[in-house]
């Protein structure tokens, strides 16, 4: 049987760092007189740091110099890292570790496909770094999700056909990227937001081994 590659997004899938991104962006935006809603925040999920700030500036109709742009990105990241530094294994989302172990026991490939430049540090903090065969993060790609570069790079590194890859994602941008790459897309989160996914679950506690076994066995042409 062909070995499948299970590609996990990080923020919002393995750990709930999405809430820390939200807090840090909100604080930064407010400091320059811009505000945005939780609904707008959905558009920041899965997209790069640069793209996120560009969106916030567009929402606030602000234009700033290149130098200020770099300064704001660094302020946001410093604030975000203050949350990350306090993370530990207790912040791994329910049943994620169990599913990683099961896929490992079933001898499947396991990869990370994240837009975050802080991905390795976060995995280290929650003690999951050694669970991944391959890590592709924001330092390895030039095109942000919904461009499928991050997932295709993981597939290439694992010598896997994209059709044999399964992506777990919490963002609409990430689901679109998986679909464009012809991978199986599994949304983790809200059914309405992620309706473009092949399957959607609220969280990993809803995913059982029967479902995983089906994905492992499935032959896609
Ligand atoms: P950083 P993911 C993404 O991670 C986040 O969802 C997104 O909100 C963030 O802007 C992006 O990483 C960049 O993160 O500032 O740490 O480089 O969901 O693709 O794992
Ligand atoms: Mg995410």
């Amino acid at each position: 049987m062909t070995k499948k590659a299970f590609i996990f997004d990080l923020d919002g899938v393995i750990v709930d760092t999405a809430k820390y991104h939200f807090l840090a962006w909100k604080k930064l935006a407010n400091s320059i007189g811009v505000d945005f809603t939780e609904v707008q925040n959905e558009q920041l999920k899965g997209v790069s740091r640069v793209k996120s700030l560009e969106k916030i500036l567009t929402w606030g109709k602000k234009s700033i110099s290149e130098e200020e742009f770099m300064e704001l990105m660094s302020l946001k990241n410093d604030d975000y890292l203050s949350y990350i530094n306090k993370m530990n294994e207790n912040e791994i989302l329910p049943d994620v570790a169990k599913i990683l172990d099961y896929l490992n026991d079933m001898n499947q490939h396991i990869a990370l496909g994240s837009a975050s430049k802080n991905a390795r540090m976060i995995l280290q903090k929650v003690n999951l770094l050694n669970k991944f065969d391959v890590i592709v993060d924001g330092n390895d790609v030039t095109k942000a999700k919904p461009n499928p570069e991050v997932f295709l790079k993981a597939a290439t590194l694992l010598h896997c056909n994209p059709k044999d890859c399964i992506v777990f994602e919490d963002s609409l941008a990430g689901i679109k990227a998986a679909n464009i790459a012809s991978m199986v897309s599994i949304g983790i989160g809200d059914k309405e937001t992620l309706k473009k996914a092949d399957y959607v679950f609220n969280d990993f506690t809803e995913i059982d081994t029967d479902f995983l076994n089906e994905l492992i066995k499935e032959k896609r042409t």
Side-chain angles (χ1 to χ4, degrees):
M1 204 192 308
T2 316
K3 213 165 155 171
K4 298 284 166 60
F6 288 81
I7 308 176
F8 291 76
D9 171 54
L10 178 66
D11 292 328
V13 167
I14 292 177
V15 281
D16 188 14
T17 37
K19 67 183 177 211
Y20 301 142
H21 278 297
F22 178 60
L23 290 174
W25 278 129
K26 186 105 173 151
K27 187 166 153 195
L28 183 98
N30 290 351
S31 78
I32 54 165
V34 179
D35 204 11
F36 62 92
T37 63
E38 279 202 48
V39 175
Q40 284 174 301
N41 185 58
E42 281 303 316
Q43 295 180 41
L44 303 184
K45 289 187 180 174
V47 303
S48 67
R49 205 179 305 167
V50 174
K51 276 263 173 325
S52 301
L53 183 53
E54 284 172 357
K55 277 180 191 276
I56 290 169
L57 293 171
T58 307
W59 293 336
K61 299 188 177 58
K62 291 252 169 202
S63 79
I64 58 172
S65 69
E66 175 90 341
E67 205 184 338
E68 280 173 291
F69 191 96
M70 297 311 285
E71 169 73 13
L72 291 179
M73 287 227 300
S74 134
L75 280 173
K76 185 270 173 178
N77 199 48
D78 288 348
D79 191 29
Y80 177 65
L81 290 181
S82 70
Y83 296 109
I84 300 307
N85 278 321
K86 293 185 213 120
M87 289 182 82
N88 61 37
E89 290 162 43
N90 296 329
E91 294 208 40
I92 301 171
L93 288 168
D95 281 3
V96 169
K98 191 173 108 182
I99 285 183
L100 289 171
D101 285 341
Y102 181 76
L103 294 172
N104 188 42
D105 289 346
M106 296 300 286
N107 199 26
Q108 301 299 300
H109 295 297
I110 301 177
L112 188 87
S114 165
S116 175
K117 294 193 169 176
N118 299 303
R120 281 171 193 272
M121 189 209 285
I122 296 169
L123 285 180
Q124 205 153 20
K125 282 271 166 200
V126 300
N127 206 13
L128 285 179
L129 198 53
N130 63 356
K131 303 273 180 196
F132 294 86
D133 302 312
V134 151
I135 291 176
V136 183
D137 67 16
N139 301 295
D140 307 309
V141 294
T142 53
K143 299 177 204 93
K145 299 169 191 172
N147 187 290
E149 184 186 11
V150 64
F151 299 140
L152 289 173
K153 209 159 184 170
T156 304
L157 289 170
L158 291 166
H159 307 289
C160 255
N161 186 316
K163 286 195 162 57
D164 293 320
C165 296
I166 296 110
V167 172
F168 294 103
E169 254 293 343
D170 71 313
S171 73
L172 180 56
I175 292 297
K176 284 183 183 166
N179 291 344
I180 292 168
S182 301
M183 298 179 175
V184 177
S185 56
I186 305 185
I188 302 292
D190 179 59
K191 287 214 160 46
E192 188 50 35
T193 314
L194 302 173
K195 62 182 175 217
K196 287 193 157 59
D198 293 322
Y199 306 90
V200 185
F201 299 95
N202 283 311
D203 58 40
F204 283 95
T205 64
E206 293 182 357
I207 297 182
D208 59 20
T209 50
D210 287 347
F211 177 68
L212 294 175
N213 291 339
E214 282 305 316
L215 292 172
I216 292 169
K217 273 193 287 179
E218 192 188 357
K219 215 172 153 53
R220 296 174 83 226
T221 48

